[in-house]
Amino acid sequence: MCVAIQAGSAAEMMERAAAALKDAKFLEFRLDSLARPGSALGALTEVLGEHKDVTAIATCRRKDHGGHFAGSVTAELEVLLKAAQAGCRIVDLEVESAEEARPAQLEKFREGLRSTGTALLVSFHDFARTRGLEHAADRIAAFQPDFVKVVSTAHALADNLAVLRLIEDRSRSSHVVGIAMGEEGLVSRVLGPRAGAAFTFASLDDGVETAPGQVTARTLRDLYRLEQLDAATRIFGVAGNPIAHSLSPLMQNTAFRREHVNAVLLPLKVRTLADLLTLVLELPMSGVAVTMPLKQEVLPHLANMDPLTAKIGACNTLRTGADGKLYGFNTDVAGVVRPLEKRLRLKGARVAVLGAGGAARAAVFGLVEQGAEVLIINRTHEHAVALARAAKAKALKHEQLAKNRFDVLINSTPCGMAGSKQTMPIREDELNAGLVFDMVYNPLETPLLKLAASRGIPVIGGLEMFVQQGARQFEIWTGKPAPEGEMQRAVELALKKRG
């Protein structure tokens, strides 16, 4: 894993390098990010002289080829040669500069690199799309460099497959680096080394990325366990859009680590179901957690599903069978039923569900199956009636809420969610329940939970539901009991940090 460093001044670049060196021994210095790239060479000589165990790459990409350096190809070669003399063990020359340079000029440059024991990496970057990767690799190979680097831009998950295929094919005969930039290209950044890439790139911190979609070294190392991934590692994903802030990768990767499961779960930014299915089947992936609207869209593509998933008409968990086919499950039900089962007997319990959307649907069907008497209250009463009819539950008009008493009241609406304009799904005088369950988990303590707690009513937060549905996913995927406590602690800590 190479940590890429760019900065506005030579002093800032060395400051960032010092911070990176606490955890990393492989750095890239983006000299083209400096107004005067040569200004950093003295300090670079000093730093690399002090840290003999550090491998450094020098890059001075020209503006025409996606960098910041305004100089000529001659000036670029000069900066890179001086960086080699300063102690950089690899220099990155874009293929366009290699093609533009005169043969004699390029040979002199290479002689200079050989005299310092520096390797030549020749790179290609496409900032618009992913196509023609083999042709790009052939252009680079013509210069017989020590490293071949091909970088594209992903607009679909399937673009990762093209990059990983290139790595697998070329890594047999050369040191190759392949990356698809952009959020959709995360798969290539994490799985590139597993496919045979010499290395992958990471940023020092959030906000100082040197390329779109780059993630921090800490994320690659701690969340995705880059250094432990191998050919036997099973690949899982959580698919949706947006997906960057999903806590599923943290929760499931924590569980994999705790239970010594050789697996990793990645966030997958999905624009179309067809794109996701291509990745799942061709990578191949062992399983995926899917979010709306994919929960309904995926149903026709399943070889089989459990009866409850079929009744609900929504699947949030895919598992790839030994036959390569997809099998569907709905763990949202477990997210509701399991926390309640720990606190009361559900058979015969009187449960009010606020809302009639997708989350409510899983709760209603799951609770009816457990023998609970379920009453659905929704702003549009007709939707409550339709769900009640489908699930063999009952619909209740909102104005009747205050006159009824329930063993459990469940909020399945977004009311109280961070950013939601409506904070409370009911009035204070309508809170007539022995237990209150809010499916919203951000914030951890919603206005509804605060109100219930202030009246001495026991509560269940949405975090517990999120963890329990994730625990069920872990069990479906691994066949092992889930480390629920560890999963809950990891997610809770992350939510508290987000504020």
Side-chain angles (χ1 to χ4, degrees), residues 36 87 160 394:
R36 291 185 302 109
N160 291 284
K394 296 172 185 171

Side-chain angles (χ1 to χ4, degrees), residues 340 344 346 349-353 367 372-377 406-410:
L340 289 171
L344 77 158
L346 284 174
R350 192 169 156 82
V351 183
V353 176
L367 291 168
E373 181 192 358
V374 181
L375 298 100
I376 306 159
I377 302 99
F406 308 96
D407 295 304
V408 183
L409 182 136
I410 300 176

Side-chain angles (χ1 to χ4, degrees), residues 186 190 215 218-227 229 249 253 257 264-267:
L186 177 74
V190 178
V215 294
R218 194 180 308 108
T219 299
L220 281 182
R221 187 179 56 245
D222 299 344
L223 180 60
Y224 301 129
R225 292 184 293 163
L226 182 83
E227 284 144 4
L229 304 185
N253 289 327
R257 185 187 297 111
V264 65
L265 182 133
L266 306 173

Side-chain angles (χ1 to χ4, degrees), residues 238-350:
V238 55
N241 187 9
I243 202 67
H245 294 290
S246 171
L247 289 167
S248 289
L250 171 65
M251 178 171 65
Q252 298 294 358
N253 289 327
T254 296
F256 293 148
R257 185 187 297 111
R258 174 73 176 75
E259 294 302 313
H260 307 290
V261 176
N262 185 5
V264 65
L265 182 133
L266 306 173
L268 308 173
K269 185 178 178 181
V270 177
R271 297 184 192 275
T272 68
L273 177 62
D275 182 37
L276 173 63
L277 294 177
T278 298
L279 185 76
V280 171
L281 298 172
E282 292 189 26
L283 192 53
M285 298 182 70
S286 297
V288 184
V290 296
T291 58
M292 294 296 286
L294 301 169
K295 291 181 183 185
Q296 279 91 35
E297 288 179 24
V298 77
L299 294 177
H301 301 274
L302 302 176
N304 208 345
M305 65 188 93
D306 62 328
L308 197 53
T309 300
K311 276 187 196 172
I312 295 166
C315 161
N316 78 324
T317 305
L318 306 178
R319 188 183 71 198
T320 307
D323 56 4
K325 293 178 180 175
L326 294 176
Y327 294 83
F329 304 84
N330 190 309
T331 70
D332 289 331
V333 172
V336 176
V337 170
R338 283 182 173 189
L340 289 171
E341 280 180 329
K342 291 177 182 178
R343 293 163 171 90
L344 77 158
R345 180 180 158 83
L346 284 174
K347 188 165 182 165
R350 192 169 156 82

Side-chain angles (χ1 to χ4, degrees), residues 412-462:
S412 76
T413 76
C415 297
M417 188 183 290
S420 171
K421 289 176 184 171
Q422 195 176 342
T423 57
M424 290 279 282
I426 57 169
R427 298 192 312 269
E428 189 169 345
D429 66 325
E430 295 171 331
L431 188 56
N432 301 318
L435 175 67
V436 173
F437 187 163
D438 198 338
M439 290 188 181
V440 172
Y441 68 83
N442 188 14
L444 285 169
E445 196 178 17
T446 64
L448 178 62
L449 293 180
K450 282 180 184 173
L451 173 63
S454 73
R455 291 177 50 177
I457 302 171
V459 298
I460 300 173

Side-chain angles (χ1 to χ4, degrees), residues 14 17 23 35 38 49 60 83 100 104 106 128 172 205 231 238 244 260 273 281 287 391 441 460 465 468 481 492 498:
M14 295 310 134
D23 297 309
C60 191
E100 189 182 321
L106 194 59
R172 296 186 185 101
D205 222 330
V238 55
H260 307 290
L273 177 62
L281 298 172
Y441 68 83
I460 300 173
M465 176 189 171
Q468 286 297 333
E492 197 168 343
R498 288 183 186 182

